[in-house]
Amino acid sequence: MGKGTDKLYITHSEWASENAYSASAGSGIGKGDASGASFKRLPFNFCAVSLQPFSHPVCTAGGTIFDITHILPWLKRHGTNPVTGEPLKSSELIKLHFAKNDEGEMVDPVTFKVFTDNTHIVALRNTGNVFAWDTVERLNIKAKMWRDLVNDEEFSRKDIITLQDLQNIDTRNLSSFKYLQDGVSTLTEEQKKDRSDPARNVNKAALGNAAAVLKAEEAKPPTPKVATDSNKNRTLSAAKPSPSTVAKPSKPSPSPNPSKPLPYNAAQHTTGKAAASFTSTGLTPHTSNERALLTDEEYLLKPRRVKHKGYVRIQTSLGELNLELVPEFAPRAVWNFVHLAKKGYYKDVTFHRSIRNFMLQGGDPTGTGKGGSSIWGKNFKDEFDGPLGHDARGVLSMANKGKDTNGSQFFITYRPAKHLDRKHTVFGRVVGGMDTLSRIENIAVGEGDRPVTDVVMQEVVVFLDPFEEARKERREQDEKEVEQEEVRKMGGREDDRTTWTGKRLRDEAGKGALGAGAGAGGAGIGKYLAAARGAEGRDGGVVVEEWEGAEEPVRKKVKAGAGFGNFDSW
């Protein structure tokens, strides 16, 4: 009964071993492969951006399927493949043609076999027709007949693109998608606006009779804020009852959940206080979900947020090198370089490595090429989202020891080095001092490619900090918003109170168009005019003419009919 023995029982070690077998295996049966614990598979008929069934499918050369209506807005904003993060152009997309049966299911156009999540599916690059791999293998590859089975166009083996392969299902693993790992939103501005509207997020079909109330609210026309017709002023004043018979309207009660403007540095996630207080009695109860606020550094280090370019000068022992920094595509690398330079980290540091026709490397205070630390005291991640590459002489890039091991060391290329793309983070280029770079390149080197004559960075001066410029813009924008709010509270500017016809708007306090001198309690000219106007009725936000209009004819009083009348005065 035991493993390899004649014992009539199973020992504890045999029962608990990881390679135990049989239906009653021990604890080892519950140990799965930790590497695939987070595996989430995307169905073959789903778009990799919207994560919804596609209607107009296209694919990349690697076999990733998108819906054309969702991938084009992404490419306009980012210009990269959302799954892998590699650069992608709309011209590289291949339109796919799926054959369907009468039930609307996607099938192989030759065998009419229905595609499922377990079917090996391929497409042809030149035609876009989609087949099952079994069909292509049997009728094209083995038969050596390299023509499309649908439209008879020629193709080669390189034109076969694998869309789904059970032997390589990692390509459909949602947990490996780069935009999901980075938490980047794929919604357009219209979709964000629709989702933020509470009325659009209600399932009216499940409300029953209450749905009629919402439909009635939506059918109401918007109420005009300002009356622009001068006749409307006369009509309102003529139809207005006496003040004694009109009850004063009560002030509207404040909304229990007023909509606050979203801060500029609001994160995509909430603070979690509502969930934490709901599950723990030791926390103060929170009944509303509030967005978490990003710190100033976290907000500025988002890619494509800071558009300003930075400028730095490296004063070396052989001349000056002027650098242009690009924080739009490599914000962390630029932040690290600028703050280390301001800190004086690079002062009197030598360029410890120079390879002619390749690159110049420095930034290690120890001068050995094995030291240096970032401004955060630890390594930071690579940044490959932008279009920057090692495509010219004078490209400024981060040196590393492997993936996501950036510190303080950097290098400047002597010539294009495309083989370094997507291995080292490019964050700037040399815009001045190419003659200095040539002098450094021509210095003889010794063991370990170290220059025989030390090339020292005597000083690194930051002329323009792009992050300070972004902060300055934010402060100016905040001050402008505060100023606009103050002007709005004061009733607006003179231009805001005058229409294009020359008419002026009466302010909310009931003062006339004559200004503060005509106040009700003032002793200036026009005080009686203001008092008469106040007696007629105070309408905030009504257009008042600057010229005197014709007097209205006296209307005859209509005698009340026989009856008891009303009892308002009782």
Side-chain angles (χ1 to χ4, degrees), residues 180-229:
L180 294 178
Q181 294 176 350
D182 297 342
V184 180
S185 176
T186 60
L187 300 178
T188 61
E189 294 298 331
E190 292 77 8
Q191 291 173 337
K192 291 180 181 178
K193 187 175 181 180
D194 290 343
R195 293 197 178 190
S196 61
D197 187 3
R200 296 179 180 271
N201 298 329
V202 178
N203 184 8
K204 298 178 182 179
L207 292 179
N209 296 333
V213 179
L214 292 178
K215 292 180 180 179
E217 289 293 333
E218 293 178 356
K220 286 184 179 180
T223 56
K225 295 182 179 179
V226 178
T228 57
D229 190 5

Side-chain angles (χ1 to χ4, degrees), residues 17-304:
S17 62
E18 293 186 3
N19 57 353
Y21 55 91
S22 79
S24 59
S27 59
I29 198 67
K31 295 183 179 180
D33 186 8
S35 61
S38 60
F39 179 80
K40 296 180 180 179
R41 183 177 178 183
L42 181 69
F44 79 95
N45 60 336
F46 275 53
C47 171
V49 175
S50 63
L51 305 183
Q52 299 293 328
F54 52 69
S55 301
H56 307 87
V58 293
C59 76
T60 63
T64 306
I65 305 178
F66 302 104
D67 195 306
I68 190 67
T69 58
H70 294 94
I71 189 60
L72 288 183
W74 172 276
L75 294 179
K76 289 181 180 179
R77 286 181 293 170
H78 303 280
T80 59
N81 188 328
V83 176
T84 61
E86 299 177 355
L88 180 64
K89 299 179 181 179
S90 58
S91 58
E92 299 175 2
L93 298 176
I94 303 168
K95 185 177 180 181
L96 298 179
H97 304 284
F98 281 90
K100 295 184 179 181
N101 57 15
D102 295 339
E103 287 76 17
E105 298 172 324
M106 299 180 186
V107 298
D108 181 273
V110 178
T111 62
F112 294 98
K113 180 181 178 181
V114 178
F115 290 154
T116 66
D117 290 335
N118 300 321
T119 307
H120 190 168
I121 306 174
V122 296
L124 301 184
R125 186 195 306 268
N126 56 340
T127 63
N129 293 325
V130 181
F131 301 91
W133 166 252
D134 296 338
T135 303
V136 175
E137 183 183 27
R138 186 172 66 255
L139 301 180
N140 291 113
I141 298 177
K142 291 184 178 180
K144 296 182 179 180
M145 196 275 293
W146 299 100
R147 288 186 174 275
D148 193 312
L149 299 173
V150 175
N151 53 19
D152 202 34
E153 289 188 18
E154 291 187 2
F155 69 93
S156 62
R157 185 148 194 156
K158 295 181 179 179
D159 294 330
I160 301 177
I161 301 174
T162 301
L163 304 181
Q164 179 176 257
D165 185 7
L166 293 181
Q167 304 298 328
N168 187 20
I169 58 176
D170 289 337
T171 57
R172 312 290 295 176
N173 187 7
L174 289 173
S175 59
S176 64
F177 286 8
K178 186 174 186 347
Y179 79 97
L180 294 178
Q181 294 176 350
D182 297 342
V184 180
S185 176
T186 60
L187 300 178
T188 61
E189 294 298 331
E190 292 77 8
Q191 291 173 337
K192 291 180 181 178
K193 187 175 181 180
D194 290 343
R195 293 197 178 190
S196 61
D197 187 3
R200 296 179 180 271
N201 298 329
V202 178
N203 184 8
K204 298 178 182 179
L207 292 179
N209 296 333
V213 179
L214 292 178
K215 292 180 180 179
E217 289 293 333
E218 293 178 356
K220 286 184 179 180
T223 56
K225 295 182 179 179
V226 178
T228 57
D229 190 5
S230 59
N231 293 329
K232 189 173 183 179
N233 185 24
R234 301 191 184 97
T235 306
L236 291 175
S237 60
K240 188 177 296 181
S242 61
S244 60
T245 60
V246 177
K248 294 182 178 181
S250 59
K251 294 182 179 180
S253 58
S255 174
N257 294 320
S259 58
K260 297 180 180 179
L262 198 64
Y264 73 93
N265 58 341
Q268 295 291 337
H269 57 276
T270 63
T271 58
K273 293 181 178 180
S277 62
F278 179 75
T279 56
S280 175
T281 57
L283 299 177
T284 304
H286 290 268
T287 58
S288 62
N289 277 325
E290 298 178 355
R291 291 278 190 93
L293 298 181
L294 300 175
T295 63
D296 186 43
E297 180 179 335
E298 292 173 340
Y299 175 76
L300 293 176
L301 292 186
K302 290 288 185 182
R304 304 176 188 272

Side-chain angles (χ1 to χ4, degrees), residues 349-563:
V349 175
T350 61
F351 287 101
H352 61 272
R353 191 181 181 197
S354 178
I355 304 176
R356 184 173 296 182
N357 293 328
F358 183 32
M359 62 89 192
L360 171 69
Q361 184 174 343
D364 179 13
T366 65
T368 61
K370 300 179 180 179
S373 176
S374 70
I375 192 66
W376 299 284
K378 59 181 181 179
N379 297 332
F380 61 92
K381 293 184 177 181
D382 298 323
E383 296 170 298
F384 301 143
D385 292 339
L388 303 179
H390 305 79
D391 53 358
R393 177 181 174 87
V395 171
L396 179 64
S397 185
M398 291 298 300
N400 57 39
K401 297 175 290 186
K403 182 180 179 182
D404 300 334
T405 57
N406 299 292
S408 64
Q409 296 189 38
F410 60 91
F411 66 90
I412 302 173
T413 60
Y414 289 140
R415 60 177 296 176
K418 297 296 291 182
H419 64 281
L420 299 180
D421 290 351
R422 307 197 63 79
K423 294 180 181 178
H424 297 269
T425 300
V426 178
F427 64 98
R429 63 190 180 96
V430 177
V431 293
M434 285 296 184
D435 54 342
T436 302
L437 190 63
S438 298
R439 286 195 293 269
I440 298 175
E441 183 181 7
N442 293 328
I443 292 179
V445 296
E447 185 179 358
D449 298 319
R450 189 180 187 89
V452 176
T453 304
D454 288 343
V455 182
V456 183
M457 288 186 283
Q458 298 173 348
E459 189 181 15
V460 180
V461 182
V462 179
F463 285 115
L464 182 61
D465 186 350
F467 302 102
E468 287 296 333
E469 292 296 317
R471 291 192 185 98
K472 183 179 178 182
E473 275 193 1
R474 171 53 58 182
R475 287 195 297 268
E476 292 177 353
Q477 184 177 354
D478 292 341
E479 292 174 0
K480 185 177 180 181
E481 291 177 356
V482 172
E483 181 182 353
Q484 292 177 349
E485 182 66 19
E486 292 293 334
V487 171
R488 189 189 65 81
K489 290 181 179 179
M490 296 297 293
R493 295 186 177 87
E494 187 65 24
D495 295 339
D496 299 333
R497 292 194 294 264
T498 306
T499 65
W500 66 276
T501 60
K503 301 176 184 178
R504 300 180 63 189
L505 297 177
R506 184 178 299 166
D507 55 14
E508 297 179 356
K511 298 178 182 180
L514 297 178
I525 298 175
K527 63 180 181 179
Y528 300 108
L529 180 63
R533 185 181 292 109
E536 293 178 1
R538 296 173 174 81
D539 298 334
V542 179
V543 175
V544 180
E545 298 181 2
E546 288 188 343
W547 57 85
E548 295 182 359
E551 297 183 358
E552 296 184 2
V554 180
R555 299 186 180 185
K556 296 182 179 180
K557 296 183 178 179
V558 181
K559 294 183 179 181

